[in-house]
Amino acid sequence: MIASLVQVSATSLAQRITIKKTNKNLISILQDVRKQTGYNFVITDDQAEKSKPVTLNVSQEDLFQVLDELFKSQPLGYKIDNKTIVVSDKSTAGTSIVQPAASAAVEVRGIVLDEKQMPMPGVTVRHKESGMAASTNVKGEYLIKLPNATGTLVFSFLGYQTQEVAVNNQTKIDVKL
């Protein structure tokens, strides 16, 4: 599973959006929303492939209204986390993952760099076994809380080879994609 992040500087939620598109793919519409609002999007290739063509005609609408309209006929949902809009499958959208007892939880942190040793913001870091996930920040850093110190972390970003790294009781895992 590869994830993509469309990134620009963020602006206010109150910003108005105007889009008139007919029968376009979801990514195209999300890019228009990004350009007008500055919000980042995280969406997997699988989600993009199963999305339906979109016809959207909005004028001077706020972000929430546009997103609700955009996703109402999609098999996908969304949630806003800071200045990032995370796309999810509707079957899992709105469901919460029960956190394990504090004594069993393990925090794993690290940094993700590209081939030029530059930090990679927006990389999806997912625990294969529990499904828990996090994204790297602008410095390429991540922090993910796991139910235990075992299993595999999956690092993915559009255009890069997905990497899997065994946790093996490590609390710091740095990755080069």
Side-chain angles (χ1 to χ4, degrees):
M1 178 167 71
I2 299 175
S4 63
L5 174 74
V6 183
Q7 182 178 6
V8 296
S9 63
T11 57
S12 154
L13 264 178
Q15 186 167 0
R16 298 297 185 182
I17 300 169
T18 299
I19 297 174
K20 185 175 181 178
K21 298 281 184 169
T22 303
N23 207 28
K24 298 292 183 182
N25 69 43
L26 182 63
I27 296 294
S28 171
I29 303 293
L30 291 177
Q31 288 172 339
D32 286 347
V33 172
R34 175 196 42 89
K35 286 175 187 173
Q36 293 184 44
T37 65
Y39 273 70
N40 301 324
F41 285 88
V42 177
I43 183 170
T44 66
D45 286 344
D46 290 339
Q47 292 165 336
E49 286 175 19
K50 71 177 157 185
S51 68
K52 299 174 182 175
V54 177
T55 296
L56 188 64
N57 187 2
V58 294
S59 179
Q60 297 299 307
E61 298 286 343
D62 75 35
L63 177 62
F64 289 118
Q65 291 171 320
V66 172
L67 291 175
D68 287 345
E69 179 70 21
L70 182 60
F71 285 98
K72 77 178 181 183
S73 63
Q74 294 291 334
L76 307 167
Y78 72 92
K79 75 173 187 174
I80 297 177
D81 182 15
N82 255 339
K83 303 294 183 186
T84 302
I85 298 167
V86 180
V87 177
S88 59
D89 294 329
K90 272 197 178 159
S91 60
T92 59
T95 60
S96 59
I97 297 173
V98 177
Q99 292 288 338
S103 62
V106 175
E107 287 186 352
V108 177
R109 66 183 69 230
I111 188 167
V112 180
L113 303 173
D114 65 13
E115 64 278 356
K116 296 177 183 172
Q117 301 298 343
M118 297 299 296
M120 292 185 65
V123 173
T124 300
V125 182
R126 184 177 54 85
H127 187 239
K128 199 173 193 179
E129 290 72 19
S130 71
M132 298 183 125
S135 292
T136 57
N137 64 18
V138 294
K139 296 178 183 175
E141 302 165 327
Y142 71 91
L143 171 65
I144 186 168
K145 294 181 182 183
L146 305 177
N148 55 51
T150 62
T152 303
L153 290 181
V154 180
F155 296 82
S156 57
F157 192 78
L158 184 64
Y160 286 80
Q161 181 71 36
T162 298
Q163 287 197 28
E164 295 188 8
V165 178
V167 177
N168 292 336
N169 295 313
Q170 299 176 83
T171 57
K172 180 155 177 48
I173 299 175
D174 294 335
V175 172
K176 182 177 172 187
L177 286 183

